Amino acid sequence: MTDDARPDDKRDAPTVACERCDREWVLDREVNDLDPGSHAIEQFALDHERHTGHYPDGVTPWVARCDRCPDGERFLAERPARRWAETHARHTRHTVRLEPPTGAVEAVSPRDDGDRS
């Protein structure tokens, strides 16, 4: 803690490491700059991948890839990955491969999206 920091400002800031970059970051600024529930670690991981082309250690995304067109996205959680896959399949009538960080690849076809209303 620096001399100019107040005791009430002290929080346990998460640390993110990247072996490929041979660096480690303490996310104290990110945690302080973002609102509660903002998912500072996830946002840092996404930003890191955008800047370097790879994710920090221990982060493996969910990947949704269309079988017929070049569309695809990466997500750090299942829910948005599945939502993207189902929406793309429904709108394009293309099958989308949903690849979890671990486990079997799942095919999401236009008929699998279900009615969630």
Side-chain angles (χ1 to χ4, degrees):
M1 180 158 66
T2 62
D3 292 336
D4 58 342
R6 295 184 316 254
D8 58 333
D9 287 344
K10 187 178 179 197
R11 302 189 216 190
D12 291 331
T15 301
V16 176
C18 181
E19 198 171 286
R20 288 177 70 178
C21 293
D22 193 29
R23 292 208 42 208
E24 188 173 273
W25 297 268
V26 177
L27 302 184
D28 53 350
R29 191 182 78 215
E30 288 81 358
V31 169
N32 289 334
D33 289 348
L34 297 172
D35 294 326
S38 61
H39 308 283
I41 295 172
E42 290 88 346
Q43 189 59 54
F44 182 88
L46 291 169
D47 291 344
H48 186 78
E49 193 276 332
R50 278 188 209 105
H51 287 64
T52 65
H54 63 268
Y55 289 94
D57 298 348
V59 176
T60 306
W62 283 75
V63 179
R65 290 190 184 138
C66 181
D67 283 352
R68 292 187 47 195
C69 66
D71 280 349
E73 292 289 333
R74 297 178 193 185
F75 302 89
L76 296 182
E78 177 182 7
R79 185 175 179 197
R82 186 169 300 282
R83 184 174 54 239
W84 188 93
E86 291 171 352
T87 301
H88 186 82
R90 183 174 58 248
H91 287 281
T92 62
R93 298 205 172 285
H94 296 170
T95 298
V96 176
R97 299 279 168 215
L98 189 56
E99 304 168 18
T102 59
V105 174
E106 177 184 340
V108 177
S109 66
R111 65 185 170 277
D112 289 341
D113 66 350
D115 183 6
R116 298 196 174 179
S117 55

